[in-house]
Amino acid sequence: MLCTVYNYAHLDLSSLSAGSLGLVVWGICGGIIAGIFLSLIYKNITSSFIKTLVKKGISDEEKAVTLSEAEAKGKWYLRSALKSPYKPIRRYVICANEKDLLGFDPKEQDNIGKKADLPMDKAKFYLPEENRTKAEIRFSEAKRPAASFIFTAVLLIAAAYFSLYAAPELLQMLDNFIGTLKN
């Protein structure tokens, strides 16, 4: 792979081992791929929940439903996403019985220090009509998620493989540039 020996006269990289560049590059690549995978799961689950609320016409407090009644996929994730009032989906989806469950309104200024996590087995949610369009745009369904994930992963792996060859050459160019500046 990296058969060329590089000698940097003006850069002190003696503390780096030969495998550390590869470890950093592949670590960044793996982290980005994992992040893309998780974001596709997030987008799929939240768009499914928003579609379920719109399809069933759950647009006011009287029609509000619990997560088990909504029959949306990914309830394990939605419990976490809807539990706290500061989560992005809670800007659009409203809890109908939040004051009753918590004993206070978490949006009031004097209740900032109090714990505001909802008991998810009793919390009822609805999507107000004024938030419907914004929620459908914000939590739209991913188009061809498997194909886009595979395409992006292949591009990232190719870029990581290329950077294993390009980084030493770029460091050599930087070292040469520093040498010309010192002379």
Side-chain angles (χ1 to χ4, degrees), residues 26-130:
W26 291 116
I28 290 171
C29 180
I32 292 172
I33 289 173
I36 290 169
F37 181 72
L38 292 175
S39 71
L40 284 173
I41 289 174
Y42 166 77
K43 195 162 188 71
N44 194 5
I45 290 173
T46 54
S47 69
S48 167
F49 182 62
I50 296 295
K51 280 184 179 181
T52 300
L53 292 177
V54 170
K55 189 170 109 179
K56 290 185 175 187
I58 303 169
S59 60
D60 56 11
E61 290 187 27
E62 291 81 33
K63 297 177 184 175
V65 294
T66 63
L67 279 180
S68 57
E69 294 169 346
E71 298 173 0
K73 62 181 176 181
K75 290 178 189 164
W76 54 272
Y77 177 79
L78 289 171
R79 278 184 179 73
S80 172
L82 292 168
K83 188 185 303 184
S84 300
Y86 58 85
K87 301 284 181 132
I89 196 167
R90 286 286 303 275
R91 292 183 188 146
Y92 306 99
V93 177
I94 310 296
C95 180
N97 55 350
E98 186 171 28
K99 291 178 188 174
D100 298 334
L101 294 174
L102 297 176
F104 65 92
D105 188 1
K107 295 176 183 90
E108 292 179 7
Q109 190 67 20
D110 60 342
N111 293 321
I112 289 177
K114 293 185 181 179
K115 184 178 166 122
D117 287 347
L118 293 171
M120 294 308 292
D121 55 337
K122 299 174 187 169
K124 294 187 173 199
F125 298 98
Y126 69 98
L127 178 65
E129 190 60 37
E130 61 269 10

